[in-house]
Amino acid sequence: MNSLPMRAFEPELQPAVFREIDRALAANNVLRATQLALQALDAGHRAPLLFAIRAHWKKREGRMEAALADFECVQEFDSANASNLNEIAGCLNALGRHRKAIAAASEAIELRPGMAMAWFHKGFAHQMLTELQPAELSYREAIRLDSTIVDAHGRLAGLAAARGDCAEARQHAANALAIQPNHPIAALTLASSALADGNLAEAEPRIQALLSYPTPLVRAVASSHLGDLRDAQGRTGEAFAAYRDAGAQWRAFYAPQFARRRPATDLLSRTTCDVDALPQGGWQVAGPLKQTGARLAFIMGFPRSGTTLLGSVFAGRANVTVLEERPLLDRAIAELAEPDGGVAKLAALSDAEIESYRADFWMRAARYGACEGLIIDQTALNTAYLPVILRLFPDAKIVFALRDPRDVVFSAFRRTFGPNPFTLEFHGLESTARLYDRTMTLAETCRDKLGFALFETRHETLIADFDGETKRLCGYLEIPWDESLRDHHKRHAAMATRSAAQVRRGLNSEGVGAWRRYATQCAPVLPVLAPWVKQFGYPAE
């Protein structure tokens, strides 16, 4: 228990109690120390040592919310306790409150810059928020301070693999495995690197060893890798079964986290009905953007439709900032999209309220260095919040990524994503298809009812005629085209999405028509997707 505070006991609490706790801790009798602390707290005594012992007990039992409450009680007694702040950061990360975890870890680091675990917790929080560069810097600092933090090595291995640097990924994985021979992230990284290199014989035993790992999430990722392995071997039936198992385990692990949230399909259906109930034209158009020197564009569609590729084309261009899956609209979404009656509230917004939401968006964008020029918000799932975007930013450019719906749905089903109410639906092919259908229905309803302009671009067209399609895109976005756009996969070094490694391999058609090899397994969802296949002009085979 390295975060136990200095003693600060009340007069009625006898020092003998602390002496007995000290003796128990010195003898490594954590159970006895915990019993004594619980008895003292039950008797009404309050002291930071008692709260800290109970917090560690709750943490060991996995009761993170209760543990956090006790660690926060310790902080009330001793606000400059860096070790306790580090514990708070760890609990906040476990609870998915990563922005608050960064604040707690940063405060601990300010008090004690050499605290390696605080750097690790800060890095983990950044990674969960897809802020990969600060995550990597934090992990490296954690290792510099304490090279035995195995999870920091493992996560650096995962980050290197995600950006396509297999050599560095293998090195970090080897470092982790030297400390902990069965470290799951390191082992998974080596398995994925072997798959990327086409070394199926090396990948097989590594994957098989993790399929029975105690942690469900590790088993889920291992099952997903097994699917990729069987796919590469042409054993599509077994591959599909592995993807299905991965989805089921992934959902079982994350579903409790979202138990109180509205299902994504329900949100989409309700929003579609509310938009459809608006009068033609929707609402009075808000005024122009007031952000001096900045223009705004959104790249959206559906995950696995090619939004990451589109964002990579423009990242790194002069006077262009691509913000990839950042929480820029979080306040507006929480207040105007998720609650019941959100669309009606959107329609009734005053100019002052609209400007307040815009100011919040720009403030968040500025945190990522986006202040002028063309700012592109690249977030595929922003399609679900299209009414919010159209109300707040009616003069923004909207690029809508399209790809064969069958490829999109199958690709989303077979991959693992960061958890949210939308990606939670990717656990099964049927639920993925249903989410796609409702997302596209909302987009079409918004287009019919609100009458906005957008630029549709097809993934297959971008691959077949990169220069021609990017010239059209540049014309729409009012930026110059040049030949350097062809090197997009070399420039974009810190992509955060699941498609990042594929984009860095450069343009290829390996994913075009991939669903056909799984036509038998996809048969149950084809009727759901058929209207969209027809509407978007794809062959109905």
Side-chain angles (χ1 to χ4, degrees), residues 64-65 89-101 124-125 128-129 254 257-258 419:
M64 291 300 177
E65 193 76 61
C91 288
L92 289 167
N93 271 332
L95 293 166
R97 302 170 193 168
H98 304 302
R99 191 62 64 191
K100 290 184 177 180
F124 180 84
M128 293 302 101
L129 293 167
Y254 282 116
Q257 183 177 332
F258 299 98

Side-chain angles (χ1 to χ4, degrees), residues 219-220 223-224 226 239-250 413 427:
R219 295 198 302 271
S223 293
S224 178
L226 179 64
F240 187 87
Y243 293 138
R244 185 183 56 219
D245 290 346
Q249 294 181 82
W250 187 89
F413 157 71
H427 71 283

Side-chain angles (χ1 to χ4, degrees), residues 130-137 140 156 158-165 168 308-309 311-317 322 324 326 378 487-497 499-501 503-505:
T130 68
E131 298 167 1
L132 302 189
Q133 288 181 324
E136 182 168 343
L137 291 173
R140 291 187 182 280
L156 281 173
L159 289 175
R163 66 171 177 268
D165 191 337
E168 185 174 347
T308 300
L309 174 58
S312 75
V313 169
F314 300 107
R317 294 293 307 276
V322 178
E324 184 183 18
R326 300 304 187 198
Q378 178 223 305
D487 297 326
H488 62 93
H489 59 291
K490 300 177 182 178
R491 291 193 311 272
H492 202 17
M495 299 165 68
T497 66
S499 310
V503 169
R504 290 189 189 91
R505 292 201 298 270

